[in-house]
Amino acid sequence: MRPLQMVDTKTQYQKIKKEVDAAVIGVLESSQFIGGKVVNDFAQHLATYNGVKHVIPCANGTDALQIAMMALDLQPGDEIISASFTYIATVEAAAILKVKPVFVEVDKQTFCLDAEAIEKAITPKTKAIVPVHLYGHAAEMEKIMAIANKHNLYVIEDNAQAIGCDYTFSDGTVKKTGGIGHIGTTSFYPSKNLGAYGDGGAIFTNDDALADKLRKIAAHGQSKRYYHDLVGCNSRLDAIQAAILDIKLNHLDEYIAARRKAADFYDKAFVNHPKVTVPYRAAYSKHVFHQYTLVLEGVDRDALSAFLAERGIPSMIYYPVPCHKQQMFEAFGGSSYNLEITDWLTERVISLPIHTELDEEQQNFIVENVLEFINK
Ligand SMILES: *Cc1c(COP(=O)(O)O)cnc(C)c1O
């Protein structure tokens, strides 16, 4: 059996090595390392794939969020509403601009923002809602957009974990996540579903004026060379990463299918077990399984994790400390929150290896060992 990893980018690379190597050498030979045709072509292809008008590439998913908030003119003292049950970057992007992250509960089943909780947290200072499509399952975008429209708020979708996820509206319209809110952001961190071989990120919008502004902010606020209209930053996707991503984009749907197949396999093994809850799949969201995350009941999670590790099976806790309990957010009143569902989930979730290269032998081994431990 091949050794188990949370994500196997090496085997995945071996399968597309020829194409990727040629593309990288192409960039080296062109010596167009920053910007240029390769980056623009990739942005265009990704826009088509995601069904959005504009894709603005940038350096990483955290920058993408920060640039989005800057483009919406969020000011110190403004508030955004987001989840505490997320990766730190979602809300750190606000804090760095001295915008207050207001944490609300997630839904116990989807792990994504609870739409009802959002409305209760709106104040006169609220400027935006930042839903996270956690683990590859879409947040309830139809409800979130309705709340945003009613209260005149912006929506920034943190789509770092859900690229390629289809969201179905009640009238049957299907849109890809990241292209539903006013702005969507994503990350090409190597372990993400569309992963580069280094850092990368992108910002999505259908709004022409916002696209211009986002593009400017990512490039030192520059309108034309050496003319700077507004304060921006320096956030670029380099051409080598763009060339690699352009190839991997052609495989994204097949990668997602492989992840779903692996998730189906796990589901089958665990679905009726009284001590675990398998990932929920809401009818509106076509899960892309960035993570396969179980909720444990009456299982010693640390002991399970140690038991698996001893047998060469990695597992991860995403995330062991919710954002509102991070010291970083104490200045924003983090410890004053009482988020029971967030805390409850934080104590019970465990993610098993899931990626495009898992085979049945590996999955059988993982399943057998998880069952052996939880049946004890
Ligand atoms: C990975 C991730 C980010 C940040 O992306 P980077 O490219 O690492 O900066 C933001 N939000 C979520 C939910 C993520 O998973």
Side-chain angles (χ1 to χ4, degrees), residues 3-297:
L4 291 162
Q5 294 167 269
M6 284 305 285
V7 50
D8 184 355
T9 49
K10 195 167 178 177
T11 309
Q12 193 193 57
Y13 163 63
Q14 293 302 332
K15 293 183 178 167
I16 53 169
K17 180 173 163 42
K18 262 198 188 143
E19 270 180 286
V20 167
D21 291 3
V24 169
I25 288 169
V27 174
L28 299 183
E29 281 173 351
S30 77
S31 287
Q32 173 84 54
F33 299 118
I34 297 290
K37 185 174 177 346
V38 173
V39 178
N40 294 338
D41 283 356
F42 167 63
Q44 194 51 56
H45 298 153
L46 184 58
T48 304
Y49 175 85
N50 220 87
V52 286
K53 207 163 165 197
H54 306 279
V55 166
I56 296 98
C58 65
N60 56 67
T62 309
D63 276 9
L65 286 155
Q66 185 186 324
I67 294 164
M69 292 178 198
M70 289 168 79
L72 297 176
D73 273 329
L74 300 198
Q75 299 295 323
D78 286 346
E79 295 174 2
I80 57 133
I81 294 173
S82 192
S84 173
F85 194 67
T86 180
Y87 181 53
I88 196 77
T90 313
V91 278
E92 186 192 29
I96 202 166
L97 300 173
K98 302 206 174 344
V99 169
K100 181 182 178 183
V102 172
F103 299 110
V104 302
E105 277 295 19
V106 289
D107 178 88
K108 205 170 172 173
Q109 286 185 298
T110 65
F111 310 127
C112 295
L113 275 189
D114 175 350
E116 270 79 57
I118 294 172
E119 206 151 18
K120 290 184 202 130
I122 294 172
T123 76
K125 290 179 177 171
T126 310
K127 291 286 155 51
I129 304 168
V130 187
V132 184
H133 305 306
L134 201 72
Y135 306 150
H137 187 288
E140 227 174 339
M141 288 308 293
E142 185 160 2
K143 280 194 189 165
I144 291 171
M145 293 310 293
I147 293 167
N149 289 336
K150 182 173 154 197
H151 295 274
N152 207 15
L153 304 174
Y154 291 112
V155 173
I156 303 170
E157 291 172 77
D158 183 345
N159 198 35
Q161 300 191 1
I163 198 155
C165 175
D166 285 319
Y167 184 95
T168 306
F169 288 81
S170 48
D171 67 358
T173 312
V174 178
K175 286 187 185 175
K176 288 219 183 292
T177 53
I180 301 169
H182 301 89
I183 302 182
T185 65
T186 200
S187 162
F188 306 124
Y189 185 78
S191 64
K192 298 282 156 81
N193 286 20
L194 180 60
Y197 297 162
D199 274 310
I203 312 164
F204 303 148
T205 188
N206 287 308
D207 182 312
D208 296 342
L210 260 180
D212 273 353
K213 199 165 173 195
L214 289 160
R215 226 177 276 285
K216 258 191 205 176
I217 291 171
H220 295 296
Q222 178 169 281
S223 49
K224 61 181 187 185
R225 201 160 210 182
Y226 305 128
Y227 289 79
H228 305 272
D229 304 348
L230 46 125
V231 175
C233 57
N234 171 27
S235 190
R236 300 184 281 238
L237 177 74
D238 70 69
I240 290 178
Q241 298 308 330
I244 295 162
L245 287 164
D246 207 25
I247 290 163
K248 291 188 72 179
L249 180 59
N250 292 327
H251 296 276
L252 181 57
D253 284 338
E254 137 212 339
Y255 290 161
I256 292 169
R259 287 175 176 275
R260 285 199 186 117
K261 188 167 169 241
D264 291 346
F265 188 99
Y266 281 141
D267 271 7
K268 240 189 187 162
F270 300 128
V271 71
N272 288 318
H273 201 287
K275 290 187 183 171
V276 295
T277 306
V278 300
Y280 183 71
R281 306 186 196 195
Y284 54 76
S285 165
K286 207 146 181 251
H287 209 313
V288 293
F289 290 100
H290 176 58
Q291 300 299 342
Y292 185 87
T293 305
L294 296 170
V295 181
L296 304 171
E297 266 297 12

